[in-house]
Amino acid sequence: MMGPTEVPAQSPETTIKIPTAHYEFGANYYDPKLLLIGRVMTDGRLNARLKADLTDKLVVKANALITNEEHMSQAMFNFDYMGSDYRAQLQLGQSALIGATYIQSVTNHLSLGGEIFWAGVPRKSGIGYAARYETDKMVASGQVASTGAVVMNYVQKISDKVSLATDFMYNYFSRDVTASVGYDYMLRQARVRGKIDSNGVASALLEERLSMGLNFLLSAELDHKKKDYKFGFGLTVG
């Protein structure tokens, strides 16, 4: 992997980029009820991921990041239980982090849920509520949390090939507001997606199938306010 790493600058409108390069070695193990993924970077970082299906309804997930830097290693454990019309999750992490989420299908289209978390370091807690309404043509969802976050999303299916979406994010503590609109267009051998947000950042992604097992990718992101422009292309085989 070669490319610049963005570093925050004193001015929010300025972006500092430092050239970096890394080599990564990975090992994967797949089983119908067990998934193990490991990645080792040249700087000594180790990323590990585990997913185990203990029963048809109970799943255990674990993620870990181990580094040579002091107090920078992280670990997180998730226990997911899926019922016939509900789903519950328990989270355990470093720094005495404990979280729980629950979502219940109220009707065939409406689901309601909530979450709560507590972090021993630095002794913070929060609670949130969520709602989701879904039909064959649209999906609408909303979230409100005591941390100040308010998030709303809406996706409308125009046809079998075209979908439009919009989202809104607001924090009533920091007064930060971001909204965006986007599209998803499916062609016979290609897929085009794009969006533009209230900060003036426009992005687009093209995925085209050249032949069986060979795809071409083309992407771009334009941030005129920060004068930050990104372009990329790629090929995927398999």
Side-chain angles (χ1 to χ4, degrees), residues 191 193 204-210 214-220 231-237:
R191 182 178 184 180
R193 287 173 285 179
L205 172 65
L206 167 67
E207 299 178 73
E208 183 175 359
R209 191 177 73 173
L210 302 179
L214 180 62
N215 296 329
F216 174 71
L217 307 176
L218 184 65
S219 64
F231 302 91
F233 65 93
L235 291 172
T236 60
V237 182

Side-chain angles (χ1 to χ4, degrees), residues 84-169:
S84 57
D85 60 351
Y86 69 93
R87 181 171 181 173
Q89 183 185 80
L90 175 65
Q91 297 178 332
L92 302 174
Q94 80 281 0
S95 302
L97 175 63
I98 302 175
T101 61
Y102 180 85
I103 187 166
Q104 173 74 54
S105 296
V106 180
T107 66
N108 293 332
H109 303 291
L110 179 63
S111 299
L112 301 176
E115 65 175 349
I116 186 172
F117 77 89
W118 184 81
V121 180
R123 293 189 178 275
K124 288 186 177 181
S125 61
I127 188 171
Y129 304 94
R132 176 185 173 94
Y133 188 82
E134 180 178 4
T135 66
D136 296 336
K137 293 291 185 178
M138 56 81 68
V139 177
S141 64
Q143 302 176 47
V144 179
S146 60
T147 55
V150 178
V151 181
M152 291 183 288
N153 301 277
Y154 180 80
V155 179
Q156 178 69 50
K157 186 177 180 180
I158 306 300
S159 65
D160 293 337
K161 296 183 178 181
V162 181
S163 296
L164 300 178
T166 181
D167 62 27
F168 174 82
M169 292 180 287

Side-chain angles (χ1 to χ4, degrees), residues 178-217:
T178 304
S180 66
V181 293
Y183 62 90
D184 188 349
Y185 187 33
M186 297 286 295
L187 301 172
R188 187 168 60 91
Q189 288 188 311
R191 182 178 184 180
V192 183
R193 287 173 285 179
K195 74 170 186 176
I196 184 170
D197 62 25
S198 56
N199 295 322
V201 180
S203 59
L205 172 65
L206 167 67
E207 299 178 73
E208 183 175 359
R209 191 177 73 173
L210 302 179
S211 63
M212 184 65 66
L214 180 62
N215 296 329
F216 174 71
L217 307 176

